[in-house]
Amino acid sequence: MDYGYDYIYEYNYDYPVSHGNGGDAAVTILLTVYLVVLALILAFALASYIFHSIGLCTIGKRMGRDHAWLAFIPFARDYFHGELAGEIPLKNKSIKNPGIWKLVLPIIYGAVAGVLFVFLFVAAIGAGAASSLSGNQMGGIMAFSTTLIALYIVILVFAVVYSAVYSVLRILIDIQIYEKFTTRNMAVVHSVLSGIIPLYEAICFFVMRNKPFNPGMEPQLTPPPVPPVYPGNKTE
């Protein structure tokens, strides 16, 4: 029976839908953290460069070294740092020009590592190609992979050896410099910590730059030339 009533049912549901806002927020947070960390690293690097250069320059001037401004020049400051130490005595020999070695060693390492990488990479391609041409595709892949692993091991060993040699050289240089202002034992401690803790060496040089030299460690500065005195000259 129809009573003349029309029943219309409308159901409307409003559900909040996220369209990637969580992912965008995560990316924003990661990017912010990355920028903050990068800014801190750059700030530490800049502070280390400034303190290190000021300390080296001041110590160099007090030691009577020419061109102390080299402490502010990239690469040249490595040479100047080593030359401040002077000749480094060892058991049977000595390092006469530590500044040159400190400057040249990274260059030698970069050149040898580059040549070694190219040589072994070409050898890996050759080994893989030779196996492939013989009809053994799987053997070619294995030969290429094995040679690349050997490449990685050789370069890794070379990098470790270089890092050890360079670190020892740097420690010996720092001991020679620190020993002018503190005891031998403390010089060794400061030198080891300088190779481990970032900014430590820069702060040490900056703090020690105006400290008095230890007795017997004073630089042998060349006295100013005395004008010649001729007979008959009157002295006031």
Side-chain angles (χ1 to χ4, degrees), residues 23-155:
D24 293 342
V27 172
T28 302
I29 293 174
L30 290 176
L31 182 60
T32 302
V33 172
Y34 171 78
L35 293 177
V36 170
V37 172
L38 181 61
L40 289 176
I41 293 175
L42 293 177
F44 271 100
L46 181 61
S48 176
Y49 193 93
I50 293 174
F51 286 133
H52 195 278
S53 298
I54 293 175
L56 281 181
C57 182
T58 305
I59 294 174
K61 288 180 179 179
R62 293 182 61 200
M63 293 178 63
R65 298 299 180 94
D66 297 331
H67 311 299
W69 49 267
L70 290 175
F72 293 92
I73 308 300
F75 300 106
R77 65 202 299 265
D78 294 330
Y79 167 78
F80 188 72
H81 177 203
E83 289 303 300
L84 282 183
E87 184 175 350
I88 300 177
L90 302 175
K91 287 186 177 180
N92 299 323
K93 297 181 180 180
S94 63
I95 304 176
K96 295 183 179 180
N97 301 107
I100 294 178
W101 284 108
K102 192 172 187 290
L103 178 63
V104 169
L105 275 179
I107 300 175
I108 296 176
Y109 167 73
V112 173
V115 172
L116 189 62
F117 178 83
V118 172
F119 173 78
L120 293 179
F121 188 77
V122 171
I125 295 177
S131 299
S132 298
L133 290 176
S134 64
N136 188 358
Q137 297 292 334
M138 184 58 66
I141 296 175
M142 291 297 297
F144 180 76
S145 302
T146 303
T147 309
L148 281 183
I149 293 174
L151 160 69
Y152 177 77
I153 293 175
V154 170
I155 293 180

